[in-house]
Amino acid sequence: MFWSLALILFPILCAAAAAKINERRTESLFTIAVAALTFLGSVLNLYLVRSGGAHTWGIASWGILGSILRLDSLSALFSLFSSFVWLAAGIYMHSYMRYEEQIAPFYTYYLITLGATQGIFLAGNFIVLLLFFELMSVTSTVWVRYHENPEAEQAGDLYHHLSVAAGVFMGTAVILLYLAGVRPQVGLAAISPTRTLPFIWAVLFLIAAFGIKAGMFPLHIWLPKAHPVAPTPASALLSGILIKTGAYGLIRTGQLVNWGQTDLIPWAGTLLVVVGSITMLLGVCLALLQGNAKRLLAYHSISQMGYIILGIGSALFLKDNGAFSIAGAVLHSLNHALFKSSLFFGVGIIILGTGEADLYKLGGLWKAFPLTGIMMLIAALGITGAPGLNGYISKTLLHHGILEAAATGSPLMVWAERIFTLVGVGTTASFVKLMGLAFLGKQKTPVQFNRGENKALAVAMLMLSVAMLLIGTMPGWALSLLVEPAAESCGTVGLGVLDHLDFFTWPAIRGMLLTLAAGFVLFAVGMKTHLFHLQLPYWLSIDWAARTLYRKVRGLLQPRAGQ
């Protein structure tokens, strides 16, 4: 377990060294080197777990803390792709952050958050996971507040307060698990809790805690506030990686409930399917109404997390038949980290060059940003599920899973499958809008001199694009090397069905092409009818919900006068 401990402590210790470096270029190269070594360590960890099985490290005499770290195929996969995206973000920052002020604290917190995130994925019990979860929340709050303007401060406060609430929920869940006679260890199923009611409440609190970080409805309100105000590398990591800690926690919670024996909480899967469906639909609808590019991407993070939550829920619902669902949820977690980070990188380059994030004020940027346009197109095709890209593979798995759930005759599952298809149409329309308004037509905003593409920015996006193409064109390799072992470590059975799935049959491709075509039609209708300019009543807006919750939470946390 030496490498697991090193993956956690090495970036955190190096953060102290980074804080003492005063020269920007040296600090940036140092940070990239630390991220690269962390990535190599995660590759080695994946090799170790593939050759030697799951490993735990702890002290047996410490009781419930006996398992401090755990390395299995699921934790190794999340550790691997998070460190890979973190490295890409570090390379991107090398050029991007020279246009920002006070960059030293950003690099310091970048490294601390990297170590904390690795700690979450490699934790052996929920107490250790909670400690790193809180560390990650504190350090990433600095990213949200980075620009120190009123909007950033408000978004940072909301993010912080909800993170505190998530920590309280998780801590309460640990206590309830202990009262239920269940050891709060990560990676083990609660076969027979001595007290059922505390166990049920513990699971609900865990779902709420991880749901906050995952952007799950109705706990999603921090996400569209935080992403647009943070610097672009931070937005990419917040959306690409940090919300995956929520997805990872929900998968581990499903493992605690026990995928094949969900009689302990028979409605857990249905609950997550319903919440995941609402999250998908709400996110894509609100994304279609956005003119700000970063806010559009933020709402799509909510929608894409809905896909993952839906997959986890349908796997619990199907019990022993949930192989497609959990494999799709795991792979879509990886895929979303790749294409959403790349899209944020691309939008950041556009903002650097034009100073503008409003899509209706952009246009004709293909000539100024040709590489950015190509790689954003690859990412857009990935997120919409175009055949040949990574999103097509994970969405196909998820669709098979929800179709199996619908085949049981449950009306809720039938409607969830319909919403799945509808959200695919809306996703396509959103990214036709993003790419069309930014890169096609007449250029409305001039590009600033020396603010275009450069090698560091292009390399960061190219790394992610290559990974998307590899997964999309060689799904068998991705499934056998990464996804199936991770799903198996969850306790899922019946994974052999994945070996016989042909992703590139004509009916499957035709269905996805019809969804994409419907998305183009929706975009055309939306632009023609000004549907995308629809203004929701204030009481239905995310701002109203965020401000109301913020005032309520702040009122509870502030001491009353005279006390």
Side-chain angles (χ1 to χ4, degrees):
M1 296 302 290
F2 168 79
W3 287 110
S4 295
L5 191 62
L7 286 174
I8 300 168
L9 296 181
F10 178 65
I12 295 175
L13 294 175
C14 288
K20 297 182 181 297
I21 301 175
N22 295 321
E23 203 275 320
R24 191 204 70 83
R25 179 178 174 82
T26 302
E27 185 176 30
S28 176
L29 293 175
F30 175 77
T31 301
I32 293 172
V34 173
L37 290 173
T38 304
F39 170 64
L40 291 176
S42 67
V43 173
L44 180 59
N45 251 1
L46 183 67
Y47 171 77
L48 291 174
V49 78
R50 287 298 306 275
S51 58
H55 303 274
T56 58
W57 176 79
I59 301 174
S61 61
W62 286 14
I64 61 172
L65 286 175
S67 175
I68 297 176
L69 298 179
R70 177 181 176 86
L71 176 66
D72 59 20
S73 294
L74 182 68
S75 59
L77 176 60
F78 273 76
S79 170
L80 175 72
F81 76 72
S82 64
S83 61
F84 176 71
V85 174
W86 224 279
L87 173 59
I91 296 171
Y92 183 89
M93 286 159 52
H94 183 68
S95 293
Y96 183 93
M97 293 305 292
R98 68 183 177 186
Y99 301 107
E100 297 281 357
E101 299 177 357
Q102 301 178 353
I103 61 172
F106 189 90
Y107 282 113
T108 301
Y109 287 110
Y110 163 91
L111 291 175
I112 297 174
T113 311
L114 170 58
T117 306
Q118 292 291 318
I120 291 171
F121 295 142
L122 297 170
N125 63 70
F126 284 101
I127 299 173
V128 175
L129 193 153
L130 172 60
L131 294 175
F132 286 114
F133 189 89
E134 289 300 289
L135 177 60
M136 178 195 71
S137 297
V138 170
T139 53
S140 56
T141 298
V142 178
W143 294 350
V144 180
R145 290 177 172 158
Y146 182 81
H147 288 126
E148 298 181 343
N149 54 44
E151 187 180 5
E153 290 294 334
Q154 184 189 21
D157 286 348
L158 180 63
Y159 177 73
H160 172 71
H161 291 327
L162 283 174
S163 296
V164 170
V168 172
F169 291 157
M170 200 183 306
T172 304
V174 169
I175 295 172
L176 289 170
L177 286 174
Y178 181 74
L179 293 175
V182 176
R183 297 182 69 179
Q185 290 186 221
V186 169
L188 296 181
I191 302 299
S192 55
T194 57
R195 299 174 66 188
T196 303
L197 188 59
F199 178 73
I200 291 174
W201 278 105
V203 170
L204 288 175
F205 275 116
L206 286 174
I207 289 173
F210 293 120
I212 288 175
K213 193 61 68 179
M216 181 178 73
F217 172 86
L219 307 170
H220 63 285
I221 59 176
W222 66 269
L223 203 149
K225 303 288 288 184
H227 284 30
V229 300
T232 295
S235 296
L237 292 174
L238 282 166
S239 180
I241 301 302
L242 266 62
I243 61 175
K244 300 308 180 304
T245 61
Y248 177 79
L250 289 172
I251 293 173
R252 289 302 194 186
T253 302
Q255 190 175 8
L256 185 70
V257 174
N258 194 348
W259 299 108
Q261 302 292 331
T262 53
D263 292 336
L264 291 171
I265 309 180
W267 41 263
T270 302
L271 173 65
L272 286 179
V273 167
V274 171
V275 173
S277 299
I278 296 173
T279 303
M280 290 166 57
L281 186 60
L282 176 71
V284 78
C285 288
L286 291 174
L288 284 166
L289 301 180
Q290 304 307 311
N292 182 286
K294 290 185 76 174
R295 192 175 292 273
L296 182 150
L297 294 179
Y299 277 112
H300 266 293
S301 292
I302 296 171
S303 181
Q304 296 299 307
M305 289 305 297
Y307 277 100
I308 296 168
I309 296 167
L310 176 71
I312 298 169
S314 59
L316 284 171
F317 176 82
L318 289 165
K319 299 183 180 180
D320 287 340
N321 298 316
F324 285 122
S325 296
I326 191 57
V330 170
L331 182 56
H332 205 66
S333 297
L334 188 163
N335 286 341
H336 180 258
L338 297 173
F339 48 61
K340 186 51 68 67
S341 298
S342 184
L343 287 164
F344 268 112
F345 287 166
V347 168
I349 293 171
I350 292 172
I351 295 173
L352 275 182
T354 64
E356 185 58 69
D358 188 341
L359 293 172
Y360 297 104
K361 296 180 181 179
L362 297 172
L365 295 179
W366 274 111
K367 293 182 180 179
F369 304 106
L371 292 176
T372 300
I374 291 171
M375 286 183 279
M376 281 189 70
L377 179 61
I378 291 172
L381 291 172
I383 197 172
T384 56
L389 272 297
N390 57 340
Y392 171 73
I393 306 302
S394 54
K395 285 189 175 183
T396 298
L397 290 171
L398 289 169
H399 195 216
H400 275 283
I402 196 60
L403 281 173
E404 287 186 337
T408 64
S410 168
L412 282 174
M413 300 302 154
V414 172
W415 275 103
E417 193 277 329
R418 293 171 181 170
I419 291 173
F420 183 99
T421 303
L422 181 61
V423 171
V425 174
T427 301
T428 301
S430 295
F431 286 95
V432 173
K433 175 182 175 180
L434 174 67
M435 297 300 295
L437 294 181
F439 290 98
L440 303 180
K442 182 180 179 181
Q443 185 174 336
K444 305 179 186 69
T445 302
V447 176
Q448 302 176 47
F449 177 72
N450 201 28
R451 286 288 191 99
E453 299 167 334
N454 60 52
K455 291 181 180 179
L457 300 176
V459 166
M461 294 187 70
L462 182 61
M463 289 171 59
L464 303 177
S465 297
V466 169
M468 286 184 269
L469 289 167
L470 286 175
I471 295 172
T473 56
M474 295 190 293
W477 165 81
L479 289 176
S480 61
L481 179 64
L482 303 173
V483 178
E484 289 186 24
E488 185 178 358
S489 69
C490 295
T492 307
V493 297
L495 289 168
V497 297
L498 301 181
D499 298 331
H500 305 291
L501 180 62
D502 185 357
F503 290 94
F504 300 110
T505 62
W506 171 240
I509 294 175
R510 180 182 59 195
M512 187 58 71
L513 291 178
L514 288 173
T515 300
L516 296 175
F520 275 87
V521 172
L522 176 59
F523 167 74
V525 172
M527 293 297 292
K528 185 72 172 179
T529 62
H530 302 288
L531 177 64
F532 300 149
H533 293 281
L534 178 66
Q535 295 293 322
L536 295 175
Y538 184 63
W539 57 272
L540 279 178
S541 71
I542 194 73
D543 288 333
W544 179 86
R547 289 176 186 274
T548 301
L549 180 62
Y550 172 71
R551 286 196 298 267
K552 295 288 186 183
V553 173
R554 188 174 183 180
L556 290 173
L557 294 179
Q558 286 182 338
R560 296 180 181 179
Q563 290 186 345

